[in-house]
Amino acid sequence: MSIINTTTACHNHSTGQTDIVFVSVYSVISVMGLVLNVTALVIFRHTKSRSHTTVYMTNLAVADLLLVLTLPMRIYYHLGYTDLPQKLCDWVGLVLLANMYGSIFLLTCICFDRCMAVTFPMSPRVQEARKKAPLICIGVWTLTFGASLPVYLSRWNVSREEHCFETLPVYATRPVVIFSTLSVGFGIPLAVMLICSWGLVRAIRRSTAAQTDLVDSKKIQRMIAASLFIFLLSFLPYHATLGILYLYGKAIPCTLLAAYHYSLMVACLNAMLDPIAYYFTTETFRRKVDMDAVRKMLPLNSQGSIEANSKSRGPINT
């Protein structure tokens, strides 16, 4: 059985049907991801200090936001409206996957940057290298879209069945592409994150400040573990499924094809979880936020609200 026939057979079972799971989950990711990432970008825009980590986080928020903006079309498709042009579906898939791998590389950069900052805080070379964060981000965008675009363009010249988002991505069917996807796109970033997370925990435990009440080392370790857990939760099922698809070759059962689509949905959760893990839970982020600018953005800055807030704060802000 060929991949085309497999996709066609599986597609015939679901044409015109509403898949409540995909619609519900993608809707939640769309709303929450849009609100959280836009909020993060607005706050970064009004942040007084521009640290190297903030550069990575800003680009990560942009990548997650672009990914989120592709989900409404998937919701439309899973509602049973299957009349979308195939090339439009391919472009949406390209934007989603390019930004997903952009998020993976940027998360790796954030973890590596934190590790270098904590492990070698006084090294001039490290400090000089960290200043190249904008150039590294440009390299990430160039790599993700530059590597993905030729593969998708070559796919359009091949005669195939067109089933929009039901069709397997081309990198799941070509050995060379799937090997580079699993190694460069996931394996190497995962190895870097594991090593850097171990280095961060080791540096924190050896720090003299961690032995005092000035630094909550257990809290920092929990944040590192949570970030690594979110990374594995989001991307490990998806890439494991890609590996299994490659092992099956052309005879792909409908259950495995469904597993691919569900694992992609789980991977999209990362766009909603990143702001929680990397922005709003970090002490550094909260310290650098200009709270006056945040209050100006909120619709609660009337004179009455200001007076009420000033009365409620009283002598606490001393």
Side-chain angles (χ1 to χ4, degrees):
M1 181 182 294
S2 67
I3 294 176
I4 293 177
N5 291 335
T6 298
T7 305
T8 303
C10 298
H11 175 76
N12 289 336
H13 289 293
S14 59
T15 300
Q17 296 179 356
T18 300
D19 195 320
I20 191 63
V21 175
F22 285 103
V23 171
S24 300
V25 175
Y26 279 137
S27 297
V28 171
I29 297 173
S30 297
V31 175
M32 295 298 296
L34 181 65
V35 171
L36 292 175
N37 284 290
V38 168
T39 302
L41 286 174
V42 171
I43 292 177
F44 285 137
R45 179 68 179 82
H46 291 82
T47 299
K48 293 179 179 179
S49 176
R50 301 288 180 182
S51 68
H52 311 304
T53 305
T54 303
V55 174
Y56 292 122
M57 287 185 175
T58 302
N59 282 266
L60 177 61
V62 171
D64 288 339
L65 184 60
L66 290 175
L67 187 153
V68 166
L69 293 178
T70 68
L71 299 184
M73 190 168 294
R74 290 181 178 269
I75 296 171
Y76 178 83
Y77 178 82
H78 288 293
L79 283 171
Y81 302 99
T82 57
D83 56 343
L84 295 171
Q86 183 62 35
K87 287 192 176 182
L88 179 60
C89 296
D90 287 341
W91 276 112
V92 171
L94 167 65
V95 173
L96 185 149
L97 290 166
N99 283 284
M100 183 179 75
Y101 285 104
S103 296
I104 290 176
F105 293 138
L106 289 168
L107 289 169
T108 306
C109 290
I110 291 173
C111 189
F112 183 79
D113 181 75
R114 285 177 173 176
C115 183
M116 292 297 100
V118 172
T119 308
F120 307 104
M122 305 304 294
S123 172
R125 287 187 177 181
V126 171
Q127 296 302 322
E128 189 64 27
R130 295 184 69 207
K131 294 179 181 179
K132 299 179 180 179
L135 294 177
I136 294 174
C137 290
I138 293 174
V140 168
W141 289 106
T142 304
L143 174 63
T144 52
F145 278 94
S148 303
L149 190 58
V151 177
Y152 270 79
L153 290 177
S154 65
R155 171 183 177 156
W156 291 344
N157 297 325
V158 180
S159 177
R160 58 194 172 90
E161 294 285 343
E162 297 184 348
H163 296 307
C164 197
F165 299 123
E166 294 296 327
T167 307
L168 279 173
V170 66
Y171 59 81
T173 61
R174 296 183 183 177
V176 175
V177 180
I178 196 171
F179 175 77
S180 60
T181 299
L182 293 177
S183 58
V184 179
F186 179 70
I188 294 176
L190 176 60
V192 172
M193 289 198 70
L194 288 172
I195 294 172
C196 290
S197 297
W198 172 79
L200 278 169
V201 172
R202 184 169 176 266
I204 291 169
R205 287 179 177 177
R206 289 188 172 188
S207 173
T208 55
Q211 310 302 323
T212 67
D213 295 333
L214 298 176
V215 176
D216 191 345
S217 60
K218 291 184 178 180
K219 180 180 178 181
I220 297 175
Q221 292 177 39
R222 286 195 299 268
M223 289 173 58
I224 295 171
S227 300
L228 189 60
F229 174 76
I230 290 174
F231 185 88
L232 291 172
L233 174 68
S234 300
F235 302 121
L236 182 59
Y238 177 77
H239 289 89
T241 305
L242 283 183
I244 298 173
L245 282 172
Y246 171 71
L247 294 176
Y248 264 85
K250 295 183 178 181
I252 300 174
C254 292
T255 53
L256 184 55
L257 189 61
Y260 164 79
H261 293 299
Y262 279 106
S263 65
L264 178 61
M265 180 182 65
V266 172
C268 291
L269 285 171
N270 188 74
M272 180 180 67
L273 297 176
D274 279 343
I276 299 173
Y278 286 89
Y279 313 147
F280 305 116
T281 61
T282 57
E283 198 71 26
T284 304
F285 175 82
R286 292 198 297 268
R287 286 176 182 173
K288 291 182 178 179
V289 172
D290 185 349
M291 295 310 297
D292 291 333
V294 173
R295 293 191 188 99
K296 291 177 182 178
M297 292 185 292
L298 299 176
L300 301 175
N301 58 346
S302 62
Q303 185 66 29
S305 299
I306 295 174
E307 292 176 358
N309 289 336
S310 62
K311 291 179 181 178
S312 61
R313 283 196 297 264
I316 295 178
N317 295 332
T318 57

